[in-house]
Amino acid sequence: MRVLVVQNYADTGLGQVGVALGEAGAEVELLRADLGDALPERPAGYDALVVLGGGQNALADEQSPWLPQLCGLMRGFGDSGRSVLGICLGSQLLARAYGGENIIGGATEFGWHEVELTPEGAEDAVLAALPPSFRTFQWHDDTFILPRGASRLAGSLAVHNQAFRVGRAAYGFQFHFEADRPMVEMWAETFAEWLAERQPGWSERHPLEAACFGPQADAAGLAIARGWVATMASSSSARASR
């Protein structure tokens, strides 16, 4: 299985998604869109697409001129039945790709917060191994209105749309389930100055919250990653049978 990964911002990465892809023996091709790597025109040659997060918003076409093409590519993967995974910014771009409305600002979350599955989420194969509610890492300011026909899979009191699916296996996750404790630690160090200004006291709270919430969040995140990777095999089988 061949997976295209699009990175939109420095110091982001696959995290636990990379673990699950490695377990499955997937071949990963990473494109740094933020550094000018060209995106393919079509999904041919790939089984799945992963779009990672970033500091820009989903409508920042002037700052990040590849975003419209990336939205088209995400839709191309999804419409062809291939597996798609959008995380944080990636989820907002997936919503945009399918006609959802992006809402810039007013939805700030940071740290480990609780997310609840919807009834559809509890029955979804990717999320089936999760408890009804769980902690996961959040870092975002924006949100979105779901595209028409999308299935809402998870939400919270703070942000209504936390996870959704379009079609067979195009999944958007507003929360950073891929971010295990080592990744969060790396972010805390890399973005220390920004966090000191925007999230006062984080350096003191971080160790305590990581110890308290990190183990459950890491377990939930790996379960999601493995569940999504399993959709890739179904995608390949379906296309091979045509």
Side-chain angles (χ1 to χ4, degrees), residues 72-189:
L73 188 63
M74 296 177 84
R75 177 133 192 183
F77 269 80
D79 287 352
S80 68
R82 289 169 169 84
S83 299
V84 180
L85 175 61
I87 299 174
C88 198
L89 172 63
S91 72
Q92 298 160 11
L93 292 172
L94 182 62
R96 175 182 172 181
Y98 277 93
E101 179 184 351
N102 293 106
I103 300 172
I104 308 305
T108 298
E109 289 185 285
F110 181 81
W112 283 277
H113 293 274
E114 189 169 289
V115 167
E116 294 185 0
L117 298 180
T118 66
E120 284 184 286
E123 295 180 355
D124 186 89
V126 170
L127 303 176
L130 299 175
S133 65
F134 56 94
R135 292 271 180 165
T136 188
F137 196 77
Q138 303 270 14
W139 191 351
H140 66 96
D141 295 307
D142 305 332
T143 185
F144 48 85
I145 296 174
L146 288 182
R148 185 181 298 275
S151 297
R152 179 173 172 266
L153 304 178
S156 70
L157 292 176
V159 175
H160 186 68
N161 295 318
Q162 292 280 359
F164 68 99
R165 186 189 71 251
V166 179
R168 189 196 70 82
Y171 285 83
F173 291 90
Q174 180 59 73
F175 51 89
H176 283 284
F177 73 87
E178 88 286 8
D180 56 11
R181 282 168 287 174
M183 178 173 277
V184 174
E185 178 70 32
M186 182 270 289
W187 285 345
E189 296 174 358

Side-chain angles (χ1 to χ4, degrees), residues 45-48 80-83 168 232 234-242:
Y46 300 99
D47 295 292
S80 68
R82 289 169 169 84
S83 299
R168 189 196 70 82
M232 292 165 49
S234 299
S235 172
S236 300
S237 299
R239 293 201 309 279
S241 65
R242 292 176 182 173

Side-chain angles (χ1 to χ4, degrees), residues 3 5 14 16-28 50 225 228-229 232:
V3 182
V5 177
L14 284 168
Q16 301 205 90
V17 177
V19 173
L21 288 171
E23 292 172 347
E27 176 188 352
V28 175
V50 179
W228 178 79
V229 167
M232 292 165 49

